[in-house]
Amino acid sequence: MNKIPVIIDCDPGVDDSYAIALAKSHPNYEIVAITPVEGNVPAVFTRHNALCLRETFEMEHTKIAYGATEPLVRPYFRDASGTHGEGGIGGIKLPDPTRAPEEKPAWDVIYEEAVKYNGELVLFAVGPLTNIATALRKYPDLPKYIKRFVIMGGGTFGNVTATSETAEFNIWVDPTAAKEVFEKLEVYMVGLNATHAAAVEVKDFDEMLEITASGKNKQSDYLNKLTKFSKENSFERGQDNNVIHDALAIAADMNEDVVKFEKFYVYVEDREVENVGETVIDLKGESGKAPNCWVAMKVDQPLFVKMMKDMCKYYAEM
Ligand code: RIB
Ligand code: CA
């Protein structure tokens, strides 16, 4: 069977790392590119981490194409380094990368790969949507080449508690980009209501630690350190790292039983008002507008946790 070409636009990132590891472990995916964007930490770190992760997970055929360093309009004035630790991956020091990124920027690579695979490309975005919006601005016909577009972002409640209980971080960092993306692409939105429903409990983290500790390779070593950081830096520390947000977006595409989507009309508030960055979901169908977004509404948490453990076993047994 031909593998499904995928691109992961991300801001690695602790949960972004799990998402990349999960996608790489899937036999049906070919990760043709990873395109880092500003987000959890400044782009200098997300870029470096993307290069390092390519080599840690031995993704020889994956292009790394650098994306935006700043949101389209808003200044980049907050990062989540508290949640993601120094450097954005839990303070874990990976070996310096030996391969360089592509010359071309993220938006050009996204478009070129989408055209190359002629409508078969699955595009994941698990960070702010600056790169995706930039690609759509430069290449208005990009949507016709995208098979499916899945994001981790938005949802029925927020997590940017400093300014809003309604905005989720990825959307809030660049609401202008998100607004444009939701207007131009059909989005499969795996939001906070879904990711929190899939939160990983301590006992499951302990099993993931045990499995990854049994692996004698760099992939398992990294996953072991990442899991230790996630467990220690979770709710009890005021963070939500036991909510492995981005991995759920990948899992939702790998196995349709993990997440149940329902279609609603959704728009993004991009004005500088109190709920800036909110994905406003017309749950009651009162807007009179046609549904444009598949919203993750139900989650099979045990199945998601099993997929995460199976991913750990995949690497441990390599
Ligand atoms: O709100 C959670 C999202 O913001 C995740 O993608 C996390 O990595 C951060 O980017
Ligand atoms: Ca992310």
Side-chain angles (χ1 to χ4, degrees), residues 188-216:
Y188 281 81
M189 176 168 79
V190 179
L192 291 176
N193 54 299
T195 61
H196 278 259
V200 178
E201 294 168 14
V202 173
K203 66 177 177 55
D204 296 315
F205 266 114
D206 289 342
E207 200 175 329
M208 287 169 67
L209 281 172
E210 205 177 302
I211 297 165
T212 50
S214 70
K216 302 298 175 223

mmCIF file of all heavy atoms in Angstrom, residues 188-216:
data_model
loop_
_atom_site.group_PDB
_atom_site.id
_atom_site.type_symbol
_atom_site.label_atom_id
_atom_site.label_comp_id
_atom_site.label_asym_id
_atom_site.label_seq_id
_atom_site.Cartn_x
_atom_site.Cartn_y
_atom_site.Cartn_z
ATOM 1 N N TYR A 188 -10.176 19.963 10.654
ATOM 2 C CA TYR A 188 -10.489 18.975 11.699
ATOM 3 C C TYR A 188 -9.822 19.514 12.964
ATOM 4 O O TYR A 188 -8.575 19.521 13.060
ATOM 5 C CB TYR A 188 -9.945 17.594 11.321
ATOM 6 C CG TYR A 188 -10.822 16.882 10.322
ATOM 7 C CD1 TYR A 188 -10.746 17.181 8.960
ATOM 8 C CD2 TYR A 188 -11.768 15.937 10.736
ATOM 9 C CE1 TYR A 188 -11.571 16.561 8.040
ATOM 10 C CE2 TYR A 188 -12.600 15.291 9.809
ATOM 11 C CZ TYR A 188 -12.495 15.621 8.472
ATOM 12 O OH TYR A 188 -13.312 15.007 7.547
ATOM 13 N N MET A 189 -10.618 20.019 13.872
ATOM 14 C CA MET A 189 -10.086 20.729 15.042
ATOM 15 C C MET A 189 -10.090 19.832 16.277
ATOM 16 O O MET A 189 -11.157 19.504 16.816
ATOM 17 C CB MET A 189 -10.915 21.998 15.312
ATOM 18 C CG MET A 189 -10.495 22.735 16.573
ATOM 19 S SD MET A 189 -11.217 24.373 16.699
ATOM 20 C CE MET A 189 -12.867 23.974 17.262
ATOM 21 N N VAL A 190 -8.916 19.454 16.715
ATOM 22 C CA VAL A 190 -8.771 18.710 17.975
ATOM 23 C C VAL A 190 -8.425 19.746 19.041
ATOM 24 O O VAL A 190 -7.267 20.166 19.151
ATOM 25 C CB VAL A 190 -7.680 17.631 17.847
ATOM 26 C CG1 VAL A 190 -7.508 16.872 19.169
ATOM 27 C CG2 VAL A 190 -8.017 16.657 16.710
ATOM 28 N N GLY A 191 -9.444 20.170 19.751
ATOM 29 C CA GLY A 191 -9.293 21.280 20.694
ATOM 30 C C GLY A 191 -9.097 20.818 22.126
ATOM 31 O O GLY A 191 -9.023 19.618 22.420
ATOM 32 N N LEU A 192 -9.048 21.786 23.011
ATOM 33 C CA LEU A 192 -8.747 21.475 24.421
ATOM 34 C C LEU A 192 -9.811 20.601 25.067
ATOM 35 O O LEU A 192 -9.512 19.788 25.954
ATOM 36 C CB LEU A 192 -8.613 22.778 25.206
ATOM 37 C CG LEU A 192 -7.387 23.654 24.874
ATOM 38 C CD1 LEU A 192 -7.455 24.958 25.658
ATOM 39 C CD2 LEU A 192 -6.091 22.916 25.182
ATOM 40 N N ASN A 193 -11.070 20.750 24.637
ATOM 41 C CA ASN A 193 -12.115 19.900 25.233
ATOM 42 C C ASN A 193 -11.807 18.425 24.965
ATOM 43 O O ASN A 193 -12.045 17.554 25.796
ATOM 44 C CB ASN A 193 -13.502 20.269 24.694
ATOM 45 C CG ASN A 193 -13.557 20.255 23.187
ATOM 46 O OD1 ASN A 193 -12.849 21.007 22.521
ATOM 47 N ND2 ASN A 193 -14.379 19.387 22.624
ATOM 48 N N ALA A 194 -11.217 18.149 23.806
ATOM 49 C CA ALA A 194 -10.849 16.767 23.466
ATOM 50 C C ALA A 194 -9.546 16.359 24.146
ATOM 51 O O ALA A 194 -9.450 15.275 24.751
ATOM 52 C CB ALA A 194 -10.728 16.634 21.947
ATOM 53 N N THR A 195 -8.545 17.223 24.075
ATOM 54 C CA THR A 195 -7.231 16.818 24.620
ATOM 55 C C THR A 195 -7.286 16.621 26.132
ATOM 56 O O THR A 195 -6.683 15.700 26.674
ATOM 57 C CB THR A 195 -6.128 17.839 24.251
ATOM 58 O OG1 THR A 195 -6.451 19.133 24.806
ATOM 59 C CG2 THR A 195 -5.973 17.962 22.744
ATOM 60 N N HIS A 196 -8.062 17.472 26.808
ATOM 61 C CA HIS A 196 -8.170 17.288 28.269
ATOM 62 C C HIS A 196 -8.954 16.022 28.611
ATOM 63 O O HIS A 196 -8.675 15.347 29.605
ATOM 64 C CB HIS A 196 -8.780 18.522 28.919
ATOM 65 C CG HIS A 196 -7.780 19.613 29.151
ATOM 66 N ND1 HIS A 196 -7.208 19.859 30.379
ATOM 67 C CD2 HIS A 196 -7.207 20.496 28.299
ATOM 68 C CE1 HIS A 196 -6.340 20.857 30.271
ATOM 69 N NE2 HIS A 196 -6.328 21.263 29.017
ATOM 70 N N ALA A 197 -9.909 15.671 27.736
ATOM 71 C CA ALA A 197 -10.650 14.417 27.964
ATOM 72 C C ALA A 197 -9.735 13.209 27.773
ATOM 73 O O ALA A 197 -10.057 12.100 28.211
ATOM 74 C CB ALA A 197 -11.836 14.330 27.005
ATOM 75 N N ALA A 198 -8.615 13.428 27.110
ATOM 76 C CA ALA A 198 -7.670 12.323 26.839
ATOM 77 C C ALA A 198 -6.456 12.403 27.755
ATOM 78 O O ALA A 198 -5.433 11.758 27.476
ATOM 79 C CB ALA A 198 -7.218 12.390 25.380
ATOM 80 N N ALA A 199 -6.545 13.181 28.835
ATOM 81 C CA ALA A 199 -5.389 13.356 29.734
ATOM 82 C C ALA A 199 -4.854 11.999 30.204
ATOM 83 O O ALA A 199 -5.621 11.067 30.454
ATOM 84 C CB ALA A 199 -5.786 14.200 30.940
ATOM 85 N N VAL A 200 -3.540 11.943 30.299
ATOM 86 C CA VAL A 200 -2.865 10.696 30.682
ATOM 87 C C VAL A 200 -2.674 10.684 32.202
ATOM 88 O O VAL A 200 -2.125 11.627 32.765
ATOM 89 C CB VAL A 200 -1.498 10.593 29.960
ATOM 90 C CG1 VAL A 200 -0.756 9.325 30.376
ATOM 91 C CG2 VAL A 200 -1.703 10.625 28.446
ATOM 92 N N GLU A 201 -3.115 9.636 32.850
ATOM 93 C CA GLU A 201 -2.987 9.554 34.318
ATOM 94 C C GLU A 201 -1.582 9.106 34.715
ATOM 95 O O GLU A 201 -0.848 8.521 33.914
ATOM 96 C CB GLU A 201 -4.034 8.573 34.859
ATOM 97 C CG GLU A 201 -5.472 9.072 34.657
ATOM 98 C CD GLU A 201 -6.494 7.962 34.941
ATOM 99 O OE1 GLU A 201 -6.099 6.931 35.535
ATOM 100 O OE2 GLU A 201 -7.659 8.136 34.548
ATOM 101 N N VAL A 202 -1.253 9.379 35.982
ATOM 102 C CA VAL A 202 0.111 9.085 36.468
ATOM 103 C C VAL A 202 0.462 7.607 36.263
ATOM 104 O O VAL A 202 1.552 7.272 35.803
ATOM 105 C CB VAL A 202 0.239 9.480 37.963
ATOM 106 C CG1 VAL A 202 1.575 9.017 38.529
ATOM 107 C CG2 VAL A 202 0.095 10.991 38.102
ATOM 108 N N LYS A 203 -0.503 6.707 36.534
ATOM 109 C CA LYS A 203 -0.191 5.263 36.399
ATOM 110 C C LYS A 203 0.194 4.918 34.955
ATOM 111 O O LYS A 203 1.050 4.072 34.698
ATOM 112 C CB LYS A 203 -1.381 4.412 36.851
ATOM 113 C CG LYS A 203 -2.630 4.527 35.985
ATOM 114 C CD LYS A 203 -3.735 3.594 36.447
ATOM 115 C CE LYS A 203 -5.030 3.754 35.636
ATOM 116 N NZ LYS A 203 -4.856 3.602 34.172
ATOM 117 N N ASP A 204 -0.400 5.629 34.017
ATOM 118 C CA ASP A 204 -0.071 5.371 32.607
ATOM 119 C C ASP A 204 1.281 5.971 32.239
ATOM 120 O O ASP A 204 2.042 5.397 31.460
ATOM 121 C CB ASP A 204 -1.179 5.915 31.700
ATOM 122 C CG ASP A 204 -2.496 5.184 31.934
ATOM 123 O OD1 ASP A 204 -2.459 3.931 32.020
ATOM 124 O OD2 ASP A 204 -3.530 5.849 32.099
ATOM 125 N N PHE A 205 1.564 7.140 32.832
ATOM 126 C CA PHE A 205 2.911 7.708 32.634
ATOM 127 C C PHE A 205 3.953 6.729 33.189
ATOM 128 O O PHE A 205 4.992 6.483 32.581
ATOM 129 C CB PHE A 205 3.039 9.054 33.368
ATOM 130 C CG PHE A 205 2.740 10.236 32.504
ATOM 131 C CD1 PHE A 205 1.646 11.043 32.755
ATOM 132 C CD2 PHE A 205 3.559 10.559 31.433
ATOM 133 C CE1 PHE A 205 1.358 12.144 31.953
ATOM 134 C CE2 PHE A 205 3.284 11.649 30.624
ATOM 135 C CZ PHE A 205 2.176 12.445 30.883
ATOM 136 N N ASP A 206 3.656 6.146 34.349
ATOM 137 C CA ASP A 206 4.622 5.207 34.956
ATOM 138 C C ASP A 206 4.863 4.008 34.037
ATOM 139 O O ASP A 206 6.001 3.542 33.880
ATOM 140 C CB ASP A 206 4.116 4.742 36.324
ATOM 141 C CG ASP A 206 4.192 5.852 37.368
ATOM 142 O OD1 ASP A 206 4.943 6.841 37.108
ATOM 143 O OD2 ASP A 206 3.509 5.781 38.404
ATOM 144 N N GLU A 207 3.784 3.556 33.370
ATOM 145 C CA GLU A 207 3.976 2.417 32.449
ATOM 146 C C GLU A 207 4.791 2.847 31.221
ATOM 147 O O GLU A 207 5.660 2.127 30.738
ATOM 148 C CB GLU A 207 2.612 1.876 32.021
ATOM 149 C CG GLU A 207 2.699 0.444 31.488
ATOM 150 C CD GLU A 207 1.343 -0.157 31.179
ATOM 151 O OE1 GLU A 207 0.344 0.207 31.853
ATOM 152 O OE2 GLU A 207 1.280 -0.951 30.227
ATOM 153 N N MET A 208 4.534 4.064 30.764
ATOM 154 C CA MET A 208 5.322 4.578 29.611
ATOM 155 C C MET A 208 6.784 4.720 30.011
ATOM 156 O O MET A 208 7.681 4.413 29.222
ATOM 157 C CB MET A 208 4.750 5.929 29.164
ATOM 158 C CG MET A 208 3.412 5.832 28.441
ATOM 159 S SD MET A 208 2.611 7.438 28.198
ATOM 160 C CE MET A 208 3.738 8.234 27.040
ATOM 161 N N LEU A 209 7.023 5.136 31.251
ATOM 162 C CA LEU A 209 8.413 5.252 31.731
ATOM 163 C C LEU A 209 9.089 3.882 31.722
ATOM 164 O O LEU A 209 10.231 3.728 31.272
ATOM 165 C CB LEU A 209 8.437 5.839 33.147
ATOM 166 C CG LEU A 209 8.254 7.344 33.259
ATOM 167 C CD1 LEU A 209 8.094 7.765 34.717
ATOM 168 C CD2 LEU A 209 9.438 8.086 32.620
ATOM 169 N N GLU A 210 8.342 2.881 32.182
ATOM 170 C CA GLU A 210 8.896 1.521 32.273
ATOM 171 C C GLU A 210 9.225 0.990 30.871
ATOM 172 O O GLU A 210 10.307 0.467 30.615
ATOM 173 C CB GLU A 210 7.835 0.625 32.931
ATOM 174 C CG GLU A 210 8.339 -0.615 33.643
ATOM 175 C CD GLU A 210 7.167 -1.350 34.313
ATOM 176 O OE1 GLU A 210 6.476 -0.718 35.155
ATOM 177 O OE2 GLU A 210 6.924 -2.509 33.929
ATOM 178 N N ILE A 211 8.300 1.208 29.954
ATOM 179 C CA ILE A 211 8.495 0.701 28.582
ATOM 180 C C ILE A 211 9.693 1.401 27.929
ATOM 181 O O ILE A 211 10.579 0.758 27.367
ATOM 182 C CB ILE A 211 7.231 0.934 27.733
ATOM 183 C CG1 ILE A 211 6.045 0.162 28.295
ATOM 184 C CG2 ILE A 211 7.495 0.512 26.273
ATOM 185 C CD1 ILE A 211 4.689 0.616 27.728
ATOM 186 N N THR A 212 9.733 2.716 28.041
ATOM 187 C CA THR A 212 10.819 3.452 27.363
ATOM 188 C C THR A 212 12.170 3.160 28.020
ATOM 189 O O THR A 212 13.199 3.136 27.359
ATOM 190 C CB THR A 212 10.548 4.965 27.395
ATOM 191 O OG1 THR A 212 10.228 5.360 28.741
ATOM 192 C CG2 THR A 212 9.384 5.344 26.476
ATOM 193 N N ALA A 213 12.141 2.885 29.323
ATOM 194 C CA ALA A 213 13.410 2.558 30.011
ATOM 195 C C ALA A 213 13.976 1.228 29.503
ATOM 196 O O ALA A 213 15.190 1.009 29.507
ATOM 197 C CB ALA A 213 13.186 2.497 31.518
ATOM 198 N N SER A 214 13.091 0.384 28.992
ATOM 199 C CA SER A 214 13.565 -0.938 28.522
ATOM 200 C C SER A 214 14.188 -0.837 27.126
ATOM 201 O O SER A 214 14.876 -1.744 26.662
ATOM 202 C CB SER A 214 12.383 -1.919 28.469
ATOM 203 O OG SER A 214 11.499 -1.550 27.414
ATOM 204 N N GLY A 215 13.958 0.298 26.482
ATOM 205 C CA GLY A 215 14.524 0.461 25.130
ATOM 206 C C GLY A 215 15.980 0.897 25.214
ATOM 207 O O GLY A 215 16.338 1.713 26.075
ATOM 208 N N LYS A 216 16.822 0.361 24.351
ATOM 209 C CA LYS A 216 18.241 0.731 24.385
ATOM 210 C C LYS A 216 18.598 1.472 23.095
ATOM 211 O O LYS A 216 19.392 1.016 22.273
ATOM 212 C CB LYS A 216 19.106 -0.533 24.529
ATOM 213 C CG LYS A 216 18.795 -1.366 25.770
ATOM 214 C CD LYS A 216 19.060 -0.607 27.051
ATOM 215 C CE LYS A 216 18.630 -1.423 28.302
ATOM 216 N NZ LYS A 216 17.918 -0.546 29.281
#
